[in-house]
Amino acid sequence: MRYRCIEQILHGTSDSDQRIYKAGEIVSLNDEDAAQLLQVGVIEPESVPMKLELNAGLFDQDKPASQKTDIQELFGKIHDSARAAVERVNELNASINELLVQREALERLTIPKADYMAIVRERIRDAGRVHEDLLKRREVQKLHRTIMANQRNSLGIDFLCAGAGAGNAPITYEGMCYFFEDLIVSGLEKAIFPPDYDEAGLTQSAAQIKEGIADIDHKVQRMTEERDEYAAVLKSYQLVQA
């Protein structure tokens, strides 16, 4: 499910996929991870179901119609309007919950091989960009592009570690991703997708799934705004108990 961060949190199963989420950001969590963070109060459900009940103390529904005064009749109309508004809030809540279930189902759909490998490549490329940036900031400025420099035995820059290592430190993960992006992606593709991998049953591309999620998010936002508007009016006149 999706949750809204109340405070900044660090989430991820390993150093490579950990990410800092700031207050207000949305994060998808499994039930086990969410339970711990909910307990310490640093996250809340993205969409909190709203439960409203009519304030029964304000209404006298047992009075016979023949004994109703004009004021009681007017109050009865207010009661009917309040009841209809509460029913609308409940309908919106049910629709929002249904849409969120659909959204989670979309997020769990397996995407085609090409789309998945595009994500893998972008992850590798992101790491490579880190090394490229280090090279430019730490090493490239050391270069002297002269004839004398070309006569030296060494290149004159730490291109494998980009200044991150000491002495004979091995090439970094980011460096590997920068220099060998295509080889890494190709190797991962062989490991992730064997020759007999069958994706004939996959019906939606990543782009279509994202479009579906965006459409759901738009509907949820619109319904939530409508629901909250009803609730705000009902609460302001103390017609309901939250």
Side-chain angles (χ1 to χ4, degrees), residues 73-221:
E73 183 177 353
L74 175 61
F75 213 57
K77 293 179 180 179
I78 295 174
H79 176 268
D80 292 341
S81 297
R83 180 185 295 279
V86 169
E87 289 176 354
R88 179 57 179 161
V89 167
N90 292 334
E91 289 175 2
L92 289 167
N93 266 330
S95 297
I96 289 170
N97 291 336
E98 183 179 345
L99 285 171
L100 291 177
V101 170
Q102 294 175 16
R103 189 190 198 285
E104 187 169 359
L106 283 176
E107 287 184 320
R108 296 181 182 278
L109 283 179
T110 299
I111 60 177
K113 172 183 174 180
D115 290 343
Y116 187 80
M117 290 310 302
I119 295 173
V120 170
R121 180 175 290 278
E122 191 58 34
R123 290 284 184 89
I124 300 302
R125 188 165 291 169
D126 284 343
R129 289 190 185 105
V130 173
H131 190 80
E132 181 181 21
D133 182 61
L134 289 175
L135 281 175
K136 291 177 178 178
R137 288 193 293 111
R138 294 178 176 177
E139 303 299 326
V140 173
Q141 60 184 350
K142 299 177 184 179
L143 288 173
H144 297 286
R145 300 175 181 85
T146 64
I147 292 177
M148 293 298 295
N150 283 334
Q151 293 176 349
R152 297 175 181 171
N153 291 328
S154 67
L155 182 60
I157 61 173
D158 179 11
F159 66 94
L160 291 179
C161 298
N168 295 321
I171 185 172
T172 63
Y173 164 77
E174 291 80 6
M176 291 280 289
C177 291
Y178 177 66
F179 290 114
F180 307 112
E181 175 187 321
D182 289 338
L183 290 175
I184 293 173
V185 172
S186 176
L188 285 172
E189 183 174 349
K190 291 178 182 178
I192 298 171
F193 297 100
D196 59 349
Y197 180 75
D198 182 14
E199 57 179 1
L202 305 184
T203 59
Q204 296 192 61
S205 67
Q208 290 171 322
I209 293 172
K210 288 180 180 178
E211 184 178 352
I213 290 174
D215 181 57
I216 288 175
D217 286 343
H218 176 71
K219 291 178 180 177
V220 168
Q221 181 180 358

Side-chain angles (χ1 to χ4, degrees), residues 48-69:
V48 181
M50 184 178 293
K51 182 176 177 60
L52 299 178
E53 295 180 0
L54 285 173
N55 192 344
L58 294 177
F59 304 101
D60 184 4
Q61 301 181 51
D62 298 328
K63 188 79 66 178
S66 60
Q67 297 181 14
K68 286 186 177 180
T69 65

